[in-house]
Amino acid sequence: MDLSGKVALVTGGSRGIGAATSVLLAEHGARVAVNYVHNAASARQLVDRIHQAGGDALEIAADVRNPDEVHRLVETVVDRWGRLDILINNAGMSFVMKPIADMTWDEFAQKLNDEMKSAFLVTQTVTQIMKAQRYGRLVYIASGLAKRPAPGMAAHGSAKAALVQFARYVAQEYGPYGITANVISPGLVKTDATQFQPEDRLSQIAAQTPLGHVARPEDVARAVMMFVGDYTDFVTGAYLPVNGGLAMD
């Protein structure tokens, strides 16, 4: 896949799935804007890695829940490279892990609001650029918990389910402008954010997975790549599970 001349924005791009995706996009020729909120060191190291490999990248701090910062983020990308072709909506939002009975409405609503506000703001802003170009590729990172519940994950799973449906509306509304919107839905992925999982639980999941291991960030990044090129230019509104066959939705 040749993405030369394309410009990509990866929200939450400095670590985990976002970092793996940023690297892979750059390896295929895209110029990559690596968005982060707090971890400037990780973002800088990632951009340096891309530069050392001959790619072009830029780290940009912005809280994608803040409309002013989202506008500045997108303006920075367009000022640097003159266009914006690909959005990977990956920024992670914190959430409480509790049974519904023990959760307050504010705890539940915080995750829903953060997840959807960030996706809404970034989508609304980048599509202004993409509509003018008559071209765009939007990929939203959801979760298998959007369809398959697990104990204590009601806030996260409900928010991701809302994101999945939002992406379908985006696909419908922006399709006439040459913009596609698709969803990647990982199962458990070994990242900094999932370090709370005990090793015996990871081993159990690997044993139950037909492909034999818990997902790595690179596994998800390779799936993301399916939706950013032109081979899938007639695919939009799709939902792709990436879990090694553990759940075949």
Side-chain angles (χ1 to χ4, degrees), residues 64-67 70 116-126:
V64 290
R65 298 167 297 182
N66 182 308
V70 168
M116 292 312 304
K117 186 176 184 181
S118 61
F120 177 85
L121 290 174
V122 176
T123 298
Q124 193 176 61
T125 306
V126 302

Side-chain angles (χ1 to χ4, degrees), residues 35-75:
N35 162 246
Y36 70 97
V37 179
H38 301 299
N39 201 326
S42 292
R44 181 69 253 170
Q45 289 171 4
L46 182 66
V47 168
D48 286 345
R49 174 183 170 187
I50 291 171
H51 286 164
Q52 289 165 9
D56 192 2
L58 173 69
E59 75 274 23
I60 308 173
D63 184 339
V64 290
R65 298 167 297 182
N66 182 308
D68 292 334
E69 295 192 27
V70 168
H71 282 287
R72 178 180 53 78
L73 169 64
V74 174
E75 285 178 0

